[in-house]
Amino acid sequence: GAVVSQHPSWVICKSGTSVKIECRSLDFQATTMFWYRQFPKQSLMLMATSNEGSKATYEQGVEKDKFLINHASLTLSTLTVTSAHPEDSSFYICSGTDHNSPLHFGNGTRLTVT
Amino acid sequence: GNSVTQMEGPVTLSEEAFLTINCTYTATGYPSLFWYVQYPGEGLQLLLKATKADDKGSNKGFEATYRKETTSFHLEKGSVQVSDSAVYFCALSGGYQKVTFGTGTKLQVIP
């Protein structure tokens, strides 16, 4: 089946630094990528939607300058958390679709900001 | 807007017990309904889906029926196993686009 590879699976960084999370679609062309955030004991909240070659569309309340999303190719999308702070600690997960099949999720990235 | 409400967990069952996780939704139009499963340390996997009223999705012994009259999509399994221990998310979508998730229900199956 279709696979989305997400890296890193976990990362610890110091407050003020930036962290990049990559999602690659391995056997399909992800025309659209969705980025979600999951707080403990809560559901996944959609952060942004990115279409290949276009600027991402952010959900209300999500700071686009803090969460930079790049979707430069049909197989790669990145989320960069800039100037990370402890409140950014969360589980981030991507999903991709080629619009011909349901979403395929990555395994997620556990970010801890100290 | 769309929303999904599912029963809070955690749910703890003995092996071979019957499982029901309730899910109700609010949506405009005729959404597709999904159950996703997240095993420890892993990402989400689609467990089953139903795309129209009265459809029954099934996979790995799990079933859920799309009930438009009660706006529900309850997940059931007749006999759970330890390997079913995971977090289960009910979700809906107006298409293969944005998905609205419930808060998840943690299931723990003990031997």
Side-chain angles (χ1 to χ4, degrees):
Chain A
V3 174
V4 173
S5 176
Q6 182 172 347
H7 293 281
S9 56
W10 60 270
V11 57
I12 301 173
C13 71
K14 292 186 176 180
S15 187
T17 61
S18 295
V19 174
K20 179 183 284 188
I21 301 170
E22 290 189 352
C23 273
R24 293 180 183 274
S25 56
L26 299 185
D27 53 2
F28 71 101
Q29 294 186 324
T31 311
T32 301
M33 279 282 197
F34 300 95
W35 286 92
Y36 293 85
R37 180 175 182 178
Q38 185 180 24
F39 292 100
K41 299 184 180 181
Q42 295 187 30
S43 187
L44 288 84
M45 301 301 295
L46 180 65
M47 298 175 66
T49 303
S50 71
N51 293 302
E52 184 265 338
S54 301
K55 289 185 178 180
T57 301
Y58 290 81
E59 296 298 301
Q60 191 173 9
V62 178
E63 299 177 60
K64 62 180 181 180
D65 294 330
K66 181 168 186 61
F67 299 100
L68 301 179
I69 292 173
N70 183 280
H71 192 172
S73 78
L74 288 170
T75 59
L76 174 64
S77 179
T78 61
L79 166 67
T80 301
V81 183
T82 62
S83 187
H85 291 284
E87 57 266 31
D88 298 324
S89 299
S90 190
F91 185 74
Y92 295 86
I93 191 166
C94 64
S95 66
T97 179
D98 59 5
H99 298 280
N100 292 317
S101 59
L103 294 173
H104 304 288
F105 285 84
N107 281 357
T109 298
R110 173 75 58 191
L111 170 63
T112 301
V113 184
T114 61
Chain B
N2 296 339
S3 67
V4 176
T5 303
Q6 63 182 104
M7 63 187 290
E8 291 188 19
V11 174
T12 302
L13 295 174
S14 297
E15 206 165 21
E16 298 184 1
F18 185 86
L19 168 72
T20 299
I21 300 178
N22 291 335
C23 171
T24 56
Y25 68 91
T26 301
T28 56
Y30 303 94
S32 294
L33 302 176
F34 307 88
W35 276 100
Y36 283 87
V37 58
Q38 185 178 29
Y39 297 104
E42 299 184 15
L44 270 72
Q45 301 175 26
L46 179 63
L47 180 61
L48 54 85
K49 66 180 176 78
T51 57
K52 62 181 186 297
D54 300 325
D55 268 2
K56 177 185 285 187
S58 62
N59 185 26
K60 299 181 180 179
F62 291 89
E63 292 183 341
T65 301
Y66 191 143
R67 301 287 188 197
K68 193 173 190 303
E69 64 277 13
T70 55
T71 61
S72 64
F73 193 54
H74 305 321
L75 181 68
E76 297 181 336
K77 186 174 185 179
S79 176
V80 294
Q81 305 300 312
V82 173
S83 57
D84 293 326
S85 298
V87 180
Y88 293 83
F89 291 92
C90 186
L92 68 81
S93 173
Y96 293 126
Q97 297 289 336
K98 295 180 182 180
V99 178
T100 300
F101 290 90
T103 53
T105 302
K106 183 175 183 178
L107 169 66
Q108 183 175 12
V109 180
I110 55 177

